[in-house]
Amino acid sequence: MKRRTLPVLATLSTVAALLLTACGSGDDKSAANDKIAGADQGAKTPRESADPSAAEAGDKPDGVDLSLPKDMNLVFDWQKPKDPNEAAAMDDAANFVRAIYRGVHKRTSNDAAVTAYSTAGGLHYAKTQIDGRIDGGWTATGTRRHYQATTRSAPNGKSVEVAFCVDSSKFYGKEIKTGKVLKSKPSISDFDYFKIIMVKVPTSDALWQASKVFVETKVAKCQ
């Protein structure tokens, strides 16, 4: 999929503290718990949605490689809103998540996809997620499902909140050296609620970047 052309340079200035969450849990208490660092938390009302969409290997929206290994399956089970800006922001919120796990897979927080789809607090969030796994010697494996997505535009049309549930009950940390998959019994800890503030890049017609990330953990309404 090629949707848009990336601008040569795009910088925006929204900053947020972040809560790092993702890869499920496991037997090793430090390696398996993917809640590595934290701060802002919050949630809004989700909406029913259904449209599985995952970037296939070699897929390059905006000319950026978002391909992932076959054992790292990110499912976006939601429908796009009718508003074109909100639809584009939702697409790029998904690309932001893919970019993070591409960075985890490639063992670098400087991957082009990370800088394409994030800025300010969102970029800090992505780098913290990726670098935490690199330092711990872990990658990820399994299926991470994103669903019950909602969108809400700012009055000025320059930012969109994309909120959604995440189910990581089948998504695990995996040790790089040994290949050991770190599993535990499914629990409420596998269900989180994300709000990502997407901002429109001034130099692009339709490219959006994550500028803030808020996470509520152990969310019963996402079960």
Side-chain angles (χ1 to χ4, degrees):
M1 177 181 81
K2 280 193 176 180
R3 216 165 18 97
R4 307 175 290 263
T5 301
L6 269 179
V8 175
L9 182 62
T11 58
L12 293 160
S13 59
T14 311
V15 180
L18 304 159
L19 175 63
L20 182 61
T21 179
C23 265
S25 53
D27 299 326
D28 183 305
K29 298 303 181 184
S30 60
N33 186 351
D34 272 73
K35 274 78 175 172
I36 298 173
D40 288 347
Q41 294 172 277
K44 295 292 179 183
T45 304
R47 175 185 62 191
E48 189 68 25
S49 56
D51 180 21
S53 63
E56 298 178 358
D59 197 16
K60 295 184 178 181
D62 305 306
V64 178
D65 192 349
L66 287 169
S67 58
L68 295 170
K70 291 182 179 180
D71 70 333
M72 197 182 287
N73 186 26
L74 306 181
V75 176
F76 297 89
D77 188 14
W78 59 40
Q79 290 181 338
K80 293 181 184 179
K82 293 181 180 179
D83 180 89
N85 277 346
E86 293 185 2
M90 179 179 277
D91 279 346
D92 285 343
N95 288 337
F96 170 64
V97 176
R98 294 182 182 113
I100 290 172
Y101 285 100
R102 178 172 170 81
V104 171
H105 171 59
K106 293 296 184 179
R107 317 308 291 165
T108 176
S109 59
N110 295 315
D111 189 82
V114 175
T115 55
Y117 293 109
S118 59
T119 187
L123 180 59
H124 176 69
Y125 174 88
K127 287 181 175 290
T128 302
Q129 281 217 32
I130 296 165
D131 290 340
R133 288 164 177 76
I134 293 172
D135 293 344
W138 326 310
T139 184
T141 187
T143 298
R144 188 177 194 255
R145 182 170 168 254
H146 311 74
Y147 53 101
Q148 292 185 3
T150 62
T151 53
R152 184 175 62 174
S153 297
N156 63 10
K158 294 181 180 180
S159 67
V160 173
E161 176 191 277
V162 181
F164 53 90
C165 288
V166 173
D167 176 1
S168 299
S169 60
K170 296 180 180 179
F171 198 58
Y172 313 106
K174 183 172 74 172
E175 294 178 352
I176 296 292
K177 288 185 178 180
T178 66
K180 179 183 178 182
V181 176
L182 307 169
K183 292 185 178 182
S184 68
K185 293 181 180 179
S187 73
I188 188 65
S189 297
D190 297 318
F191 296 90
D192 302 316
Y193 187 76
F194 278 68
K195 289 194 300 181
I196 301 177
I197 307 303
M198 303 297 295
V199 292
K200 193 171 186 177
V201 176
T203 53
S204 171
D205 290 338
L207 178 66
W208 294 73
Q209 294 177 312
S211 67
K212 292 184 181 181
V213 180
F214 302 89
V215 183
E216 183 181 358
T217 62
K218 301 180 179 180
V219 181
K221 68 182 178 182
C222 289
Q223 283 185 303

